[in-house]
Amino acid sequence: MSERLEDIAAAMVTPGQGILAADESSGTIKKRFDTIGLESTADTRRDYREMMFRAEDAMKNHISGVILYDETLRQKAADGTPLVDLIKAAGAVPGIKVDGGAKPLAGFAGETVTEGLDGLRERLAEYHGLGARFAKWRGVISISKDLPSWGAVKQNAQALARYAALCQEAGIVPIVEPEVLMDGQPGDHSIDRCYDVTEWVLKTVFAELYDARVSLEGMVLKPNMVIDGKNARKASREEVAEKTVRCLKATVPAAVPGIAFLSGGQSDEEATAHLSLMNAGFDMPWALTFSYGRALQAAGLKAWGGKPENVAAAQQAFAHRAKMNGLAAKGDWNKEREAA
Ligand code: 13P
């Protein structure tokens, strides 16, 4: 594959394909495994991810890239094949989460800033050597009556921009992820409030990316959809699609090759339906696809249940979600195909 940032970014948003976010930290994957009553160990984490990466049809046809956690990037499948090689063999680009998580922001009660810039240049060089060609950094913005504050929005945007510039220096495409939470506290905000905050955050992020001399052609944006809080669900699927596209058009330059959404706590079907409605209903200057974690993995995780005898059924469940989201990336998903 070409090593130009533009070409890697284009491969990450190949039409009809999207990104599998499998970069849960050890703490987060433990929470996921708790739901199936499975102990989280290096081996169970490996077995689970190997199950997905060996789902050949899903990986070859619908997954353009996989975001990994540090441990997984270094892990080998049960037969000794590096997991990265399984991903590459399926024609997908391996990626790596490089942020150190959202930590309380001093002086800003209830808000966070994402850590991990110190030593990042050296870590990126190592990750490039291990095969990663894109990276992910997630900034987190919470909505409440009084939040977010300008200080938190600005500092998260600055961190994202510094991260993105370091990635490009290392020949790695940055996924820039400023997530406005749908499932924060109290989570009762309206879709219009989400629109206003998302617009503010994206305007700020692109201003910082410009100041940091980040090449927009060599990045992928990973935003939230414009949607009401998890405890205030009212908006129709059509309204979510229309307001999300309107907000992105108002803020994301056309030079950005692709936008890959996070699922953020939406149900599997909602996340798919929203993406499909956007692609079916609107002309847009960028590719619009998925970079889902929960909405791609939940069905497969449940079907697997940690048991080797369930691997085939789990791969089938994962493949179905990958296929449905692949259809959504082209605007071709519908309820009949969902049920088939
Ligand atoms: P969800 O799709 O589960 O929100 O996860 C995507 C992700 O990578 C969040 O950083």
Side-chain angles (χ1 to χ4, degrees):
M1 195 182 73
S2 157
E3 293 279 310
R4 290 173 65 231
L5 292 173
E6 294 85 331
D7 296 330
I8 299 167
M12 290 162 65
V13 295
T14 299
Q17 301 195 11
I19 296 167
L20 166 62
D23 60 322
E24 299 84 3
S25 63
S26 299
T28 302
I29 198 73
K30 181 185 177 308
K31 278 191 234 160
R32 306 278 185 263
F33 282 7
D34 283 347
T35 67
I36 56 166
L38 179 69
E39 193 191 346
S40 178
T41 67
D43 281 351
T44 57
R45 294 191 287 271
R46 189 270 316 277
D47 290 345
Y48 173 60
R49 281 145 177 168
E50 181 176 350
M51 177 276 289
M52 289 187 285
F53 305 160
R54 284 195 193 274
E56 216 177 301
D57 176 60
M59 293 290 299
K60 281 211 163 99
N61 298 314
H62 310 298
I63 301 296
S64 54
V66 183
I67 319 176
L68 303 170
Y69 187 57
D70 182 279
E71 174 187 77
T72 320
L73 186 65
R74 303 169 193 279
Q75 252 173 344
K76 291 188 166 68
D79 69 0
T81 313
L83 292 178
V84 174
D85 290 353
L86 295 183
I87 294 166
K88 286 194 210 157
V93 187
I96 178 76
K97 183 225 301 287
V98 300
D99 69 62
K103 302 288 160 61
L105 177 59
F108 291 76
E111 300 193 281
T112 61
V113 71
T114 301
E115 294 189 345
L117 288 169
D118 287 357
L120 182 55
R121 174 178 277 126
E122 291 72 26
R123 286 196 293 131
L124 286 166
E126 188 196 2
Y127 288 143
H128 192 276
L130 289 168
R133 288 298 177 270
F134 73 91
K136 180 191 110 169
W137 178 290
R138 172 174 174 259
V140 182
I141 303 293
S142 260
I143 298 182
S144 70
K145 193 162 112 338
D146 307 310
L147 302 182
S149 67
W150 167 233
V153 169
K154 188 169 57 168
Q155 292 177 78
N156 275 288
Q158 284 171 341
L160 277 164
R162 281 187 59 199
Y163 140 83
L166 282 162
C167 284
Q168 292 188 335
E169 180 190 85
I172 288 180
V173 169
I175 290 187
V176 172
E177 180 180 4
E179 176 174 9
V180 176
L181 290 178
M182 144 187 166
D183 62 357
Q185 289 302 323
D188 59 357
H189 58 270
S190 67
I191 185 170
D192 292 324
R193 175 108 168 93
C194 178
Y195 184 108
D196 290 344
V197 172
T198 302
E199 179 181 46
W200 187 32
V201 167
L202 290 176
K203 285 264 183 211
T204 308
V205 165
F206 280 99
E208 292 293 342
L209 290 170
Y210 176 75
D211 287 348
R213 302 182 176 168
V214 171
S215 154
L216 300 182
E217 291 80 358
M219 65 163 276
V220 169
L221 179 72
K222 176 163 174 167
N224 53 283
M225 293 184 195
V226 173
I227 194 165
D228 30 24
K230 134 181 133 210
N231 300 321
R233 304 309 307 282
K234 273 191 228 75
S236 67
R237 291 174 173 182
E238 288 71 20
E239 185 177 357
V240 171
E242 189 274 323
K243 288 186 171 166
T244 300
V245 171
R246 185 143 52 88
C247 187
L248 293 172
K249 283 190 170 178
T251 53
V252 184
V256 172
I259 297 176
F261 291 106
L262 59 96
S263 59
Q266 298 181 44
S267 74
D268 295 359
E269 188 180 313
E270 268 177 354
T272 305
H274 288 146
L275 177 63
S276 196
L277 282 170
M278 289 183 228
N279 277 310
F282 301 89
D283 282 325
M284 294 171 286
W286 351 261
L288 206 63
T289 187
F290 58 91
S291 174
Y292 294 159
R294 284 162 284 179
L296 258 180
Q297 294 185 51
L301 176 68
K302 196 163 163 231
W304 181 56
K307 302 200 172 74
E309 63 269 28
N310 292 340
V311 164
Q315 287 175 326
Q316 218 166 31
F318 168 60
H320 183 64
R321 281 280 36 94
K323 185 170 180 189
M324 292 303 106
N325 285 305
L327 288 168
K330 295 190 285 190
D332 288 340
W333 174 87
N334 58 39
K335 284 217 171 259
E336 292 68 50
R337 288 181 152 146
E338 181 65 48

